[in-house]
């Protein structure tokens, strides 16, 4: 063999030895190699040559499994949903969207459930719908106003709203001024077909005033003492309850009591104190029910499936009939049978039964889902804020809406006594709709006050977005972008 060929063979062997040493030693694996040596090293260590099919190299044990797409599976879907729910503006959009959907669906059902009742009293078929639509327009303006008001202004309005509400509730009991509707002396006549129930505004007044009171006491660290937690919150609440019970409206009194318990719970009332107030309220409620034959008859109608031969439990039984005849998807909008004089109050307290008859299980579950979303969003607003007033007020409003919805739907299902309370944002009644929509606007304002939500809303303004885009885009030397 010529000398030059022997030299070339030795040179190739030396390069291969150096390559194997560098590849096998972790400390030297990052040393850069010359181009020719690096190529020879890759070939020497068994790397795949260009054009060689995958799986034929020395280091491959077989064909690789196919890659799954990015779409992913239930876990990935759950993670995406959780991240979307944790966004800063989620509570804002959920409160706004669910409340508007409940109100719009309520308008549709009020029209469907009340047309026969309106014709029966010699009124146009749209009589009750027109009044409810007017109340919804006014309530929408109140909701927009409340959502744009700062928190300080809400706190400043707490005492004036409470004083005006107490004055109106006292005025109801004056003979010749107050009106009696269905045996309850809780109405004021405003002229024409319009009436006002001041006790509905008492719920909003107690929430705003109680939240402001508890927030000021928490700032002074006085809520650790029982007397500061109870006084004057509980006496003022009992004064409102007394004025309501003078008119005989126990359903509204139950909702007001639930709001009081919600405020005490959020204030951190100990179990003994909470149980004491609850026990006292239970004794008062038992005495009021026991001394009233009407309330005793309502309590006896729980769970009945047929009316008495004497006509007792007629409303409770026909509410079950309406729900049972709805099926999965209902008989169709406007096709209810029970609203033709069989079911009393089809557009107010028992509108949920007509919803089940015309829209079926799908419609009733949709209503329940909307109320559940509204309640959860309210809890989220109350739990994520650092402002004590916002926490107490948002928790009070959430307690009000969810407790009233549970009591109304439970009565229609036969699980609770008929309390005579409307379904919030859904049933007919302007006196109930106006303060409820203002309370929803209150929660929207609280959701907007969150620092992260403020930043997200600021970034969505057209001017801020345009300036941000202009700042990120750099001009080229030629003047083009």
């Amino acid at each position: 063999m010529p000398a030059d060929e022997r030299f070339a063979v030795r040179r190739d062997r030396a390069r291969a030895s150096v390559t194997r040493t560098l590849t096998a030693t972790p400390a030297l694996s990052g040393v850069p190699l010359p181009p020719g040596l690096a190529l020879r090293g890759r070939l020497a260590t068994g790397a795949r040559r260009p054009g060689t099919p995958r799986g034929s190299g020395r280091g491959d044990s077989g064909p690789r499994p196919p890659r799954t797409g990015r779409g992913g599976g239930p876990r990935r879907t759950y993670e995406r949903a959780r991240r979307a729910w944790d966004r800063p503006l989620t509570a804002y959009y959920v409160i706004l969207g669910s409340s508007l959907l409940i109100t719009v669906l309520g308008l549709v059902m009020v029209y469907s459930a009340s047309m026969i009742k309106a014709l029966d009293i010699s009124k146009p078929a749209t009589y009750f719908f027109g009044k409810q639509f007017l109340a919804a327009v006014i309530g929408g303006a109140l909701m927009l106003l409340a959502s744009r008001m700062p928190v300080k202004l809400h706190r400043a309005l707490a005492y004036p709203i409470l004083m005006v509400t107490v004055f109106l509730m006292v005025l109801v009991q004056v003979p010749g001024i107050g009106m009696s509707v269905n045996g309850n002396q809780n109405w004021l006549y405003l002229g024409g077909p319009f009436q006002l129930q001041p006790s509905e505004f008492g719920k909003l007044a107690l929430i705003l005033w109680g939240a402001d009171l508890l927030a000021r006491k928490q700032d002074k660290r006085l809520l650790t003492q029982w007397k500061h937690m109870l006084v004057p919150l509980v006496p003022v609440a009992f004064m409102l309850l007394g004025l309501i019970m003078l008119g005989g409206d126990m359903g509204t009194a139950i909702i007001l009591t639930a709001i009081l318990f919600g405020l005490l719970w959020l204030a951190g009332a100990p179990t003994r104190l909470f149980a004491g107030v609850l026990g006292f309220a239970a004794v008062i409620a038992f005495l009021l029910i026991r001394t009233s034959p009407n309330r005793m008859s309502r309590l006896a109608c729980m769970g009945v499936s047929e009316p008495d031969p004497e006509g007792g439990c007629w409303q409770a039984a026909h509410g079950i009939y309406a729900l049972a005849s709805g099926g999965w998807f209902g008989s169709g909008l406007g096709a209810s049978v029970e609203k033709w004089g069989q079911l009393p109050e089809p557009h107010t307290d028992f509108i949920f039964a007509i919803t089940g008859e015309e829209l079926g299980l799908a419609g009733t579950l949709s209503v329940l889902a909307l109320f559940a979303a509204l309640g959860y969003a309210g809890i989220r607003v109350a739990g994520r804020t650092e402002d004590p007033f916002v926490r107490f007020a948002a928790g009070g409003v959430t307690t009000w809406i969810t407790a009233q919805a549970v009591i109304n739907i439970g009565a229609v299902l036969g699980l609770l006594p008929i309390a005579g309370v409307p379904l919030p944002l859904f049933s007919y009644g302007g006196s109930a709709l106006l303060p409820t929509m203002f309370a929803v606007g209150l929660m929207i304002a609280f959701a907007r006050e969150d620092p992260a939500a403020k930043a997200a809303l600021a970034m969505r303004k057209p001017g801020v977005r345009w300036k941000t885009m202009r700042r990120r885009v750099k001009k080229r030397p030629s003047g083009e972008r």
Side-chain angles (χ1 to χ4, degrees):
M1 179 182 296
D4 53 348
E5 292 182 3
R6 291 197 301 270
F7 177 78
V9 171
R10 292 175 181 175
R11 182 187 61 191
D12 293 338
R13 289 178 179 176
R15 287 181 176 178
S17 177
V18 171
T19 303
R20 286 193 298 269
T21 303
L22 292 176
T23 306
T25 306
L28 301 177
S29 59
V31 178
L33 302 177
L37 188 57
L39 178 60
R40 294 172 185 267
R42 286 195 297 270
L43 296 178
T45 54
R48 185 172 60 90
R49 297 175 181 268
T52 306
R54 189 178 295 274
S56 60
R58 298 180 182 178
D60 294 333
S61 59
R64 296 185 181 182
R67 293 184 179 182
T68 58
R70 294 186 178 181
R75 184 175 181 83
R76 190 177 184 87
T77 304
Y78 169 75
E79 291 296 330
R80 287 181 177 178
R82 187 178 63 83
R83 286 196 300 267
W85 185 255
D86 288 337
R87 290 176 181 175
L89 292 176
T90 298
Y92 169 76
Y93 286 123
V94 169
I95 294 173
L96 180 62
S98 59
S99 60
L100 290 180
L101 286 175
I102 293 172
T103 305
V104 172
L105 183 58
L107 287 173
V108 174
M109 293 310 304
V110 163
Y111 175 67
S112 176
S114 65
M115 59 173 63
I116 306 302
K117 180 72 173 180
L119 294 174
D120 186 53
I121 60 175
S122 301
K123 298 290 184 180
T126 58
Y127 175 73
F128 293 104
F129 171 77
K131 294 175 63 177
Q132 185 74 358
F133 182 78
L134 178 61
V137 171
I138 299 175
L142 290 177
M143 184 177 70
L144 180 61
L145 178 64
S147 65
R148 296 294 178 176
M149 290 169 56
V151 176
K152 292 183 179 179
L153 185 56
H154 284 296
R155 299 188 66 169
L157 291 177
Y159 280 86
I161 291 178
L162 178 65
M163 294 174 62
V164 172
T165 302
V166 171
F167 173 75
L168 293 178
M169 292 174 68
V170 172
L171 201 62
V172 165
Q173 306 304 324
V174 177
I177 299 178
M179 289 183 58
S180 177
V181 178
N182 295 330
N184 293 336
Q185 184 78 15
N186 284 316
W187 297 83
L188 288 175
Y189 179 66
L190 301 180
F194 299 103
Q195 303 165 355
L196 180 67
Q197 188 177 4
S199 57
E200 291 290 340
F201 293 86
K203 306 170 187 177
L204 178 63
L206 179 61
I207 290 173
L208 287 177
W209 177 80
D212 178 69
L213 175 69
L214 294 175
R216 286 188 286 108
K217 288 194 173 186
Q218 181 171 334
D219 292 338
K220 298 178 181 179
R221 299 182 179 180
L222 297 176
L223 291 181
T224 55
Q225 305 177 24
W226 286 23
K227 60 179 182 180
H228 287 288
M229 184 175 293
L230 294 178
V231 180
L233 177 63
V234 175
V236 171
F238 281 0
M239 177 189 66
L240 295 174
L241 288 172
L243 293 173
I244 293 173
M245 290 307 301
L246 283 177
D249 188 3
M250 190 170 181
T252 305
I254 293 175
I255 305 301
L256 207 69
T257 305
I259 293 173
L260 174 62
F261 288 155
L263 291 176
L264 290 176
W265 181 271
L266 292 170
T271 306
R272 290 178 296 170
L273 178 61
F274 197 81
V277 177
L278 182 61
F280 179 75
V283 171
I284 298 297
F286 174 77
L287 294 176
L288 292 174
I289 294 174
R290 189 67 178 175
T291 56
S292 174
N294 182 28
R295 299 186 186 115
M296 285 297 298
S297 63
R298 291 187 178 187
L299 186 64
C301 292
M302 288 179 55
V304 299
S305 57
E306 294 182 359
D308 295 339
E310 299 180 357
C313 301
W314 181 272
Q315 188 174 15
H318 280 272
I320 298 296
Y321 294 164
L323 290 172
S325 60
W328 289 99
F329 300 102
S331 58
L333 193 62
S336 170
V337 176
E338 292 293 333
K339 68 183 179 183
W340 287 77
Q342 299 296 324
L343 180 63
E345 306 297 335
H347 58 298
T348 54
D349 300 345
F350 271 69
I351 193 172
F352 189 76
I354 302 299
T355 304
E357 185 181 4
E358 295 187 350
L359 302 183
L361 182 64
T364 55
L365 290 181
S366 300
V367 175
L368 290 177
L370 290 174
F371 275 109
L374 182 60
Y376 187 83
I379 294 174
R380 172 172 169 160
V381 171
R384 293 195 173 190
T385 183
E386 297 181 357
D387 189 343
F389 172 79
V390 173
R391 181 170 66 253
F392 293 134
V397 172
T398 305
T399 303
W400 166 16
I401 295 177
T402 53
Q404 188 164 329
V406 168
I407 291 174
N408 177 276
I409 296 174
V412 174
L413 296 176
L415 303 176
L416 295 174
I418 300 176
V421 295
L423 190 59
L425 301 172
F426 200 83
S427 296
Y428 170 79
S431 296
L433 184 62
L434 295 181
T436 307
M437 295 193 74
F438 186 90
V440 171
L442 195 70
M443 286 206 299
I444 293 175
F446 295 157
R448 291 168 58 93
E449 287 295 324
D450 183 73
K454 276 186 176 181
L457 288 173
M459 290 299 297
R460 295 195 175 197
K461 293 181 180 180
V464 175
R465 182 180 297 180
W466 173 251
K467 292 179 181 179
T468 305
M469 293 175 63
R470 289 288 299 271
R471 186 167 53 250
R472 289 180 179 176
V473 177
K474 296 182 179 180
K475 290 185 177 182
R476 298 182 179 179
S478 61
E480 299 178 353
R481 292 188 176 183

